[in-house]
Amino acid sequence: MDTLIALVVAAAITVFFLRGYLKSLKKREAQAREAAEKGQLYSSGPRAQHPRIDANRCIGCATCTSVCPEGDVLAMLGGKAAIVNGHKCIGHSLCADACPVGAITMVMANPRLAADMPRLTPEYETSLPNLFVVGELGGLALIKNAVNQGRDCVDTIAGRLAAVTTAGPPDLYDVLIVGAGPAGISASLRAIERKLTYITLEQDEVGGTVAKYPRQKLVMTSPVEFPMYGKFKKMELSKEHLLSFWDMVLNRSDFNVRTGEKVEDIKSGTDQVFTVSTAHCQYRSRAVVLALGRTGTPRKLGVKGEELPKVMYRLIEADHYINKNILVVGGGDSAVEAALGLANQKGNHVTLSYRQERFARIKDRNAKRIEESMRSGKVKVFFKSLPVEFKPEAVVLQIEGVMQELPNDYVWIFAGGTPPYDFLRKIGVAFGISDLTLEAGAEANRSIRLGQQLSEVTADLRIGV
C-alpha cells in the first residue's frame, strides 16, 4: 500500500512539472511564431553573413538561441532552431560556435538579397584586383569582424608583395588604407607589423563611426584581438574604452594617418598601381583597402524647416542638453538609444516619432528599456507618425493622419545614411554576390559555342579546299 501511495505521489509530481514544462514550451513557441511573423513583415531576410541551420542534425537544445546577443534572431519552432528575425543578424557566429552537434554554418545572403552589396571574394577583394573592402561596407556590422577583416586582407597583400622582386619608386606605398575606424586601424597596425609601407586616409576623425556614438554606448559584445596589442578580454566595452585605445594608437610614431583627407577618386593604371586622389593630394599604391563604413551621408527627410540649425543627425554628448523639449525621429537602435540618453538628462521632455506601428528592428535590451521608459512617461512615443514641419520653437507631427503641433527646442533625425555605393560604382567595383554555379554554366556554354563556331569554320575551309 505504501509503495502504491509513493508511486501515485511521484506520478502526480511528475505530471505537475511536465505540465509546467510543456506549458513553457508552448508559450516559447508562440513567442517565436510571433517574432517570425514580425520578421517577415519588416524584412525579406538576412542581407549578409548569417546562420544556416541543418534541421536534420539539430537536436533542439536551444543553445544557439541563448547565446545570440541580438535577441530573437533565432528561436525554437517545432523543436528545431529557426531564423525568425534575419534582418537583426550581424554575423556574430556565436550560435555556430555554441552548437554542440555542428548543425549551424555561417553563410552569405543569396544574390537577390545582396544585389546592393559589393561583390567580394573570400579574401575581401573586389572585382578590381588588389582593391579590398573590409568592415561594415562589405555587409558585416560587427566591430570584431571589421577588425579581423582589416588584419586578414593586409596579410593577403603582404603575401602577394613577397613575390614582387622589383622595388618601386619612393612615393609608392605597398598599401593605402581609406578609413580610420576599427577595420582601418586594424589594417594599419597589421601593415606596421608586416613591415609594409602604408598610409591611412580619414575624412573625419580617427575612430570612425565609434567616435560619433553617444557616451557609454556599448560597441562590442565579444572579445576582439587587435594586431600588435592582443585581445580585449572584456565582453563589453564602451565608446570611452575604445577611444582611449584609439588615442594610444595615435601616439605611435609609426602610425601614419592623415585626417581631413576625403578620397574623391581611385584609378588603376596599366602598371597595376592605384592612383588615389583627394582634394589636397594624389597618392600611389600597389594595393588599396577601403574601410569606409556604410553610414555615409545622413539621410534627410525632405521636411520643411529641416535646414534649421536645431535639426541634427548625430548625438554625441547627451548631457549637453537639459531642460529642453526634444524630438527624436526614427525607430532603429540609434534613435531609441538617443531618446533614452536624452530622457535621462535633467528636465528634458523627449518625444520619439516612428512611422511604423511598433518597433521591429531594435535589440532586445533596447526594446526592454524603451518599454520601461514609455510606461514611466520618461519618453513619449508616437507610432504611425511623421514630421511634417520643423519650426524655430515647435514641430508639426502627423499622428495617425491627425496634425499636432508640439513645443520643441531640438530635433534629432536617425533615418540611416546613404552608403558610398555610387563612389564604388564610379571606380569600377562590381556589385552583387557572384553565383559560381551560374558563371561556370555560362562559361561552359561559351566554350561549347566557341567550339561549334571553330568546327563550322574548319568545315567551310575544307569545302573551300
Side-chain angles (χ1 to χ4, degrees):
M1 187 67 180
D2 291 342
T3 303
L4 180 60
I5 292 172
L7 287 173
V8 169
V9 171
I13 293 173
T14 301
V15 169
F16 174 79
F17 282 107
L18 183 60
R19 282 183 64 189
Y21 175 69
L22 292 175
K23 188 177 179 181
S24 68
L25 276 183
K26 188 175 180 181
K27 182 180 178 181
R28 192 163 59 191
E29 185 151 333
Q31 291 173 338
R33 292 192 184 282
E34 182 183 354
E37 290 172 4
K38 186 170 66 174
Q40 290 172 1
L41 178 64
Y42 290 101
S43 172
S44 54
R47 302 182 65 81
Q49 181 172 287
H50 65 281
R52 174 185 288 163
I53 301 163
D54 185 343
N56 293 323
R57 299 178 67 182
C58 176
I59 59 175
C61 65
T63 303
C64 56
T65 66
S66 62
V67 299
C68 178
E70 301 306 317
D72 54 354
V73 173
L74 299 171
M76 302 304 296
L77 290 173
K80 301 285 186 178
I83 298 176
V84 295
N85 271 305
H87 65 274
K88 286 187 176 182
C89 182
I90 57 175
H92 283 278
S93 76
L94 296 180
C95 54
D97 297 337
C99 181
V101 294
I104 298 178
T105 54
M106 300 303 292
V107 298
M108 295 301 291
N110 66 56
R112 178 180 60 83
L113 291 175
D116 63 347
M117 305 295 292
R119 183 183 300 175
L120 303 178
T121 69
E123 291 76 30
Y124 321 115
E125 190 172 21
T126 68
S127 54
L128 299 176
N130 292 319
L131 190 144
F132 299 79
V133 167
V134 295
E136 193 178 18
L137 187 60
L140 297 181
L142 196 63
I143 285 180
K144 179 183 75 173
N145 289 332
V147 171
N148 292 341
Q149 290 178 4
R151 177 196 66 218
D152 293 346
C153 76
V154 170
D155 284 343
T156 299
I157 293 167
R160 294 179 183 180
L161 290 177
V164 177
T165 56
T166 57
D171 66 338
L172 179 64
Y173 293 100
D174 290 328
V175 57
L176 184 145
I177 300 158
V178 184
I185 289 175
S186 175
S188 302
L189 293 174
R190 193 60 148 194
I192 296 171
E193 197 170 32
R194 298 298 297 263
K195 295 181 171 52
L196 302 182
T197 59
Y198 82 100
I199 188 168
T200 300
L201 306 179
E202 168 58 51
Q203 66 176 0
D204 294 318
E205 55 188 315
V206 173
T209 305
V210 176
K212 300 178 177 67
Y213 285 163
R215 289 178 63 183
Q216 295 301 324
K217 176 178 170 65
L218 298 175
V219 293
M220 288 200 291
T221 54
S222 58
V224 63
E225 186 171 353
F226 276 91
M228 305 185 75
Y229 285 90
K231 182 177 288 187
F232 283 77
K233 296 182 179 178
K234 291 184 179 181
M235 289 298 289
E236 292 185 336
L237 288 176
S238 68
K239 164 189 171 178
E240 286 73 22
H241 283 113
L242 264 184
L243 290 184
S244 66
F245 172 67
W246 292 173
D247 289 338
M248 183 167 60
V249 171
L250 272 170
N251 288 327
R252 294 183 61 101
S253 60
D254 51 3
F255 185 60
N256 188 17
V257 63
R258 295 186 186 177
T259 56
E261 288 265 29
K262 181 178 181 179
V263 173
E264 298 178 344
D265 196 15
I266 299 175
K267 285 186 169 62
S268 178
T270 55
D271 56 356
Q272 297 184 330
V273 169
F274 291 98
T275 300
V276 180
S277 303
T278 71
H280 310 291
C281 193
Q282 282 192 341
Y283 304 88
R284 299 177 73 245
S285 179
R286 297 184 190 273
V288 173
V289 176
L290 298 179
L292 298 171
R294 290 192 70 199
T295 305
T297 305
R299 185 175 287 114
K300 296 191 176 183
L301 302 180
V303 172
K304 183 179 179 182
E306 195 170 355
E307 73 284 351
L308 291 173
K310 73 171 188 176
V311 179
M312 294 170 282
Y313 302 87
R314 290 192 178 100
L315 174 65
I316 299 177
E317 305 291 354
D319 58 358
H320 287 187
Y321 305 90
I322 59 173
N323 301 314
K324 302 297 182 185
N325 292 307
I326 294 170
L327 173 68
V328 177
V329 181
D333 285 306
S334 296
V336 169
E337 288 164 1
L340 292 169
L342 289 163
N344 285 329
Q345 309 310 315
K346 179 183 175 183
N348 283 345
H349 298 279
V350 179
T351 300
L352 178 62
S353 170
Y354 185 38
R355 59 190 175 89
Q356 301 287 0
E357 61 185 16
R358 57 182 172 176
F359 297 115
R361 297 175 177 270
I362 60 176
K363 295 181 176 67
D364 269 8
R365 60 175 177 263
N366 284 335
K368 292 173 183 175
R369 290 173 63 206
I370 192 65
E371 285 173 8
E372 291 170 2
S373 294
M374 290 165 65
R375 282 194 299 267
S376 66
K378 289 183 71 174
V379 178
K380 191 169 187 177
V381 178
F382 288 119
F383 291 108
K384 297 168 72 173
S385 66
L386 292 168
V388 175
E389 183 179 358
F390 302 126
K391 300 180 179 180
E393 297 179 356
V395 295
V396 179
L397 294 180
Q398 184 184 59
I399 306 169
E400 298 191 28
V402 178
M403 298 297 180
Q404 184 172 337
E405 186 167 315
L406 305 175
N408 177 262
D409 299 300
Y410 291 103
V411 177
W412 273 272
I413 298 172
F414 295 93
T418 305
Y421 290 157
D422 288 343
F423 171 75
L424 294 185
R425 290 187 176 94
K426 183 182 81 169
I427 65 176
V429 172
F431 276 65
I433 292 177
S434 178
D435 189 330
L436 298 180
T437 302
L438 185 64
E439 290 181 0
E443 182 62 33
N445 288 334
R446 282 194 294 270
S447 298
I448 291 170
R449 286 196 300 270
L450 181 60
Q452 291 173 340
Q453 291 170 359
L454 288 173
S455 298
E456 291 171 0
V457 170
T458 303
D460 290 343
L461 289 173
R462 285 174 179 169
I463 292 171
V465 172

